[in-house]
Amino acid sequence: MAEPEAPAQKSSNRPFFIAFVLGALVLTGLPFLQERFLKAPPPILTLTPWSTTAADISSVALSGKVVLLQVEVAPCDADCTKRVTEFGNIVNHVNDLGDKVVLVTLADAQTLGALEQRKGASAAWRFAELDSALLTQLQVGLVKFLGADSTDFARSHSVVLIDQNGAVRGYWQDGTAGRGNAINAARLLAKKGPIP
């Protein structure tokens, strides 16, 4: 006589349901935890007063604003144009903050001419000719940041973050990850102030 077949075991969805609920709880609480523990980088160097050829781009005019700054020098080839365009796209990630974050592109006269068509793309993105005194200060800050005098700031294509008090907070390399980190730090400073 044949033994009766064992009844087929039902599959339980309980582990999947528990995992879903736990995942939802973690994802809901993560922004609150991040906000509590995330901080903008500490000041590297406080800039002395500086100015440029543009009246709206100086330490006085930008006081109280978070500044993301890039420097481009000739020759401004296709890579340069691409870097500047991608830098300008940062506006799309900070425009919800109003006028708290300003983008600044500083360039030599030849490069400014090559970038003429990008000027006026956004009120939050400003252009001016390089100021040698500011460039020197940014080089000093980069040396402090890296701990070595191995990189020429003007040719590094770094994105610099300057807080509301005129202190350099960081240098990020050009690229999606670098710009993303600079944007996150700028947003933290704009929301929480220079002393979070």
Side-chain angles (χ1 to χ4, degrees):
M1 179 166 181
E3 288 188 32
E5 286 185 27
Q9 291 207 356
K10 283 188 169 180
S11 167
S12 172
N13 290 331
R14 180 174 242 174
F16 297 109
F17 178 73
I18 292 170
F20 174 79
V21 169
L22 287 174
L25 290 172
V26 167
L27 290 175
T28 302
L30 190 60
F32 301 108
L33 289 172
Q34 285 178 328
E35 184 138 336
R36 181 175 177 169
F37 295 108
L38 283 179
K39 292 188 170 142
I44 297 166
L45 169 81
T46 299
L47 300 171
T48 60
W50 56 272
S51 62
T52 66
T53 54
D56 62 344
I57 304 176
S58 69
S59 54
V60 173
L62 296 172
S63 178
K65 307 226 182 271
V66 176
V67 177
L68 287 168
L69 181 141
Q70 76 171 159
V71 170
E72 290 293 338
V73 292
C76 192
D77 55 11
D79 287 341
C80 163
T81 305
K82 181 181 177 202
R83 274 192 307 274
V84 172
T85 301
E86 288 173 346
F87 177 77
N89 289 338
I90 290 175
V91 168
N92 300 326
H93 301 282
V94 296
N95 58 7
D96 62 308
L97 299 170
D99 66 347
K100 292 182 177 181
V101 179
V102 176
L103 276 62
V104 173
T105 298
L106 298 179
D108 55 30
Q110 181 182 349
T111 303
L112 279 178
L115 301 174
E116 191 65 39
Q117 65 191 27
R118 283 164 181 68
K119 292 181 183 176
S122 167
W125 187 16
R126 304 174 189 176
F127 291 79
E129 200 165 321
L130 275 173
D131 173 62
S132 60
L134 175 60
L135 193 60
T136 300
Q137 290 187 76
L138 293 173
Q139 178 66 44
V140 169
L142 182 61
V143 170
K144 282 186 175 183
F145 182 71
L146 295 176
D149 192 5
S150 58
T151 305
D152 177 18
F153 171 72
R155 303 233 177 249
S156 70
H157 311 301
S158 298
V159 175
V160 181
L161 176 64
I162 302 170
D163 71 17
Q164 297 92 323
N165 295 332
V168 174
R169 290 299 194 90
Y171 295 79
W172 285 272
Q173 290 194 322
D174 180 57
T176 306
R179 282 189 303 277
N181 289 332
I183 290 166
N184 288 337
R187 291 184 65 82
L188 278 169
L189 286 169
K191 287 180 176 181
K192 294 189 170 192
I195 308 170

